[in-house]
Amino acid sequence: MGNMKAGVVHAREDIRFEDIEKPVPGEGQVLIKVKYTGICGSDVPRVNADACHFFPNVLGHEFSGTVEETGKGVVSLKAGDRVAGVPLVPCMKCEDCQKGNYSLCKHYSFIGSREFGSFAEYVVVPEKNAVKFDDEVSFEQGAFFEPATVALHGLKRVPYEGGKTVAILGGGTIGMFVMQWAKIFGAAEAVVFDIEPSRLELGKRLGATAGINTLEKDFMDQAMELTEGRGFDYVFETAGNTITMKMAFELAANKANVCFVGTPTKDLSFSVKEWENMNRKEFTLTGSWMSYSAPFPGQEWKAVAHYFKTGDLKFDESFIYKKVPLAKIADAFEWYKTPGTVKGKILIDSEQSYETA
């Protein structure tokens, strides 16, 4: 059996680097030697607040690594394959799963929250929860598959067509991926809205046709000028922020499609005038949750592997705030206690042993 190192959550604000039992792949499972895992926004309250499902627990669900060993019956993967982790484990039996709506499964498990995840040297996952990628794709990119698929799922939630105008509200990692997908699939205009000039610059570097700072008084005039006064055919809200969620209603063109990809953290109320935008413009509003479609895990995951390989989906080093050895995982979660400290994704490096940390 043997042991391995892992970052184990024992209680609120108590994550420890310690030895636990190394998992063994069962039938239909693969053992992955983890390289990188991104700390997701959802991991932070699981360590620093009360959102952890049970203790002790090993979190981590945005990961890349190499297949170390395959269980009985595994046919699509072999030892040495470079893979990205797919965290959702749907039941495959309920009505939603049978329709291919895996994100909506009510009886799911989730690697890195409901079962042990990748803040460890090794993790075991079902065969379909490891997506193979080519040598041209880095392990850093592999750890960004999950956010990149979340962004593409947002586009798939609307009847997206090329040649139209797209507004992306929020210039974080998900926003940057949404903008790039919009461009890959033919957007005439893909405009990023943010309050940080550096994010707007990054957007342009990655292919945005314009960036608008929403702190500027005339930002709405600037936006309308870009669309000849019509507003945007597609609006993707990626920040989960009250201000940008309301802004989406204002930026939408007549008959637009508006998709909320960001997860809200505060209650939201609209004035009658704000809400009436939806009636008067007859726009369609939808939400987007996770990143899966049939056949599992879905076209989203295949597309990320393909477009990272071709270079059409660009990866910028500024997406990564820091790489932290697994041994120092507790330090990484401490940084989140000071708002504004972490700008970008922290990648936990599971190949860094205790001695080199």
Side-chain angles (χ1 to χ4, degrees), residues 12-13 43-50 333-337:
R12 180 178 177 149
E13 298 183 56
D43 291 320
V44 179
R46 288 179 187 138
V47 176
N48 293 345
D50 300 310
F333 280 96
E334 279 296 314
W335 296 333
Y336 284 100
K337 291 180 182 177

Side-chain angles (χ1 to χ4, degrees), residues 72-291:
K72 189 178 173 188
V74 172
V75 292
S76 65
L77 295 165
K78 63 185 186 306
D81 283 345
R82 296 153 67 88
V83 292
V86 176
L88 182 72
V89 186
C91 77
M92 295 295 184
K93 294 174 183 170
C94 70
E95 185 180 342
D96 288 312
C97 281
Q98 286 182 34
K99 289 176 177 172
N101 298 323
Y102 307 111
S103 302
L104 310 182
C105 174
K106 291 181 179 66
H107 313 289
Y108 67 93
S109 183
F110 200 85
I111 294 154
S113 73
R114 293 166 187 261
E115 58 185 85
F116 278 14
S118 60
F119 288 149
E121 290 182 297
Y122 295 91
V123 64
V124 156
V125 304
E127 177 180 9
K128 286 192 185 305
N129 289 71
V131 170
K132 197 156 51 170
F133 59 81
D134 289 331
D135 291 348
E136 292 91 335
V137 180
S138 69
F139 284 110
E140 287 89 346
Q141 287 172 299
F144 277 79
F145 266 51
E146 206 259 352
T149 60
V150 166
L152 179 52
H153 189 72
L155 247 72
K156 288 171 76 69
R157 289 290 302 119
V158 302
Y160 186 84
E161 296 174 3
K164 297 189 175 183
T165 57
V166 184
I168 299 94
L169 311 186
T173 306
I174 300 279
M176 291 302 165
F177 281 132
V178 170
M179 179 276 294
Q180 291 193 69
W181 287 122
K183 288 284 290 181
I184 286 168
F185 297 119
E189 295 278 347
V191 183
V192 175
F193 293 73
D194 203 275
I195 58 172
E196 286 271 347
S198 62
R199 304 307 293 175
L200 300 175
E201 283 306 313
L202 173 62
K204 287 180 195 169
R205 202 158 70 235
L206 294 173
T209 52
I212 291 178
N213 190 324
T214 55
L215 292 179
E216 292 176 10
K217 282 183 180 169
D218 68 339
F219 85 87
M220 195 57 73
D221 294 336
Q222 293 176 44
M224 289 302 152
E225 203 173 304
L226 287 171
T227 61
E228 297 174 345
R230 291 179 60 255
F232 289 84
D233 299 308
Y234 302 101
V235 183
F236 295 96
E237 197 287 331
T238 70
N241 184 301
T242 304
I243 295 167
T244 43
M245 290 168 92
K246 289 184 172 199
M247 200 183 289
F249 280 43
E250 210 172 333
L251 286 167
N254 292 342
K255 298 288 186 180
N257 281 275
V258 179
C259 182
F260 283 3
V261 183
T263 304
T265 54
K266 292 176 182 167
D267 286 347
L268 175 63
S269 62
F270 288 86
S271 68
V272 171
K273 186 172 183 291
E274 287 169 335
W275 189 260
E276 207 180 30
N277 272 307
M278 186 158 57
N279 302 92
R280 287 180 176 273
K281 296 178 182 179
E282 293 192 344
F283 68 69
T284 302
L285 173 65
T286 188
S288 181
W289 187 243
M290 293 199 276
S291 57

